[in-house]
Amino acid sequence: MALIAVLPGDGIGPEVTAEAVRVLDALDLDLTFAHAPAGGAAYLAAAHPLPPETLALAQRADAVLFGAVGAPEYDGLERELRPEQAILGLRKRLKLFANLRPVRLFPGLEDASALKPDIARAIDLLIVRELTGDIYFGEHSRGRTPDGLRYGRDVMQYDEAEIARIARIAFAAAAGRRGQLLSVDKANVLETSAVWREVVNEVRRDFPGVQLTHMYVDNAAMQLVRDPGQFDVIVCGNLFGDILSDQASMCAGSIGMLPSAALDEDGKGLFEPIHGSAPDIAGQGKANPCAAILSAAMLLRHSLRLPEPADRIEAAVAAAIAGGARTADLGGTCSTQAMGDAVLAAL
Ligand code: IPM
Ligand code: MG
């Protein structure tokens, strides 16, 4: 029996997570689900975005299924109390340094892509994003200059151990795919990136079968819309990975289709859609649950080592899409639940 911590969060988080749980339930895998609040919902219930009980549940569980956090009403809170601290805190406390964000175009979604169909069709890539370092977790401060001007300051930093361990994950992933690894940085400007590039080059020696190239992040952003089919695995730091993965999602049709895994050294992890809480459509039954459902598949594969039911879920999503099921983000009229029904029917 495996224990799954379900943290639905805010906005559309609860709606899409419910569909993912429904799909997992249908597989009869002897899973136990324990729900806990996170983000704004937890701030309202327990005065903290990541209450100790929620963190303890996440630590005790075999895997975490996460929805989304954030809403405009919390914008005025001090940073430590904002909903985003729930996910950032979980990543840091559970040491979830390896973020896998697979991006592929499901056949039938060519027209939903922001790119021309022939270009979009070729997308099948994996973004490996470092998740517990970089400017996200450097020192943050604000103050006044001697002239009395307000300033903000965020420190970008990586040490070689942090870079080497995410590089190894990325090289191994590339070895299991098409053997191509692209490392993205801004080494022409940033010292952090210069060290990043040096270390990635050193790790390469342990993976002779993988072809490594480097690209500056601005060029990578451009290439991603020009010819995304050229990419197999992309490894990058926390900030660049955040930006490039949102961009890649629209190339593949919709951000509503993209799952992710955040893993620790042992493969234990947190699984979440890459999309946010979408407050504008929350509670309306319009959200696409596919990213959450596909995150549940990644949970089975990576944390519970159950590749067969994971394959079944992914095939069911593909079949539902091929059969014409579409939520609004994909240009259709299916409700969140109807999309979940279509996946369950295909299962
Ligand atoms: C993501 C999100 C988060 C991030 C936010 C919610 C803190 O955008 O998972 O991509 O920036 O990492
Ligand atoms: Mg993001």
Side-chain angles (χ1 to χ4, degrees), residues 11 15 21 34 40 51 99 102 105 108 121 124 138 146 156 160 179 195 202 211 292 295 314 330:
E15 302 161 52
V21 170
N99 190 201
L105 187 105
R121 203 168 286 128
D124 180 7
M156 174 180 270
E160 58 182 310
V195 175
E202 288 159 14
Q211 207 198 339
S295 297
E314 286 162 1
L330 302 174

Side-chain angles (χ1 to χ4, degrees), residues 50-60 89-90 93-94:
L50 183 58
E53 299 76 28
T54 300
L55 178 61
L57 171 66
Q59 281 166 330
R60 192 168 77 240
L90 282 165
R93 300 295 292 272
L94 302 184

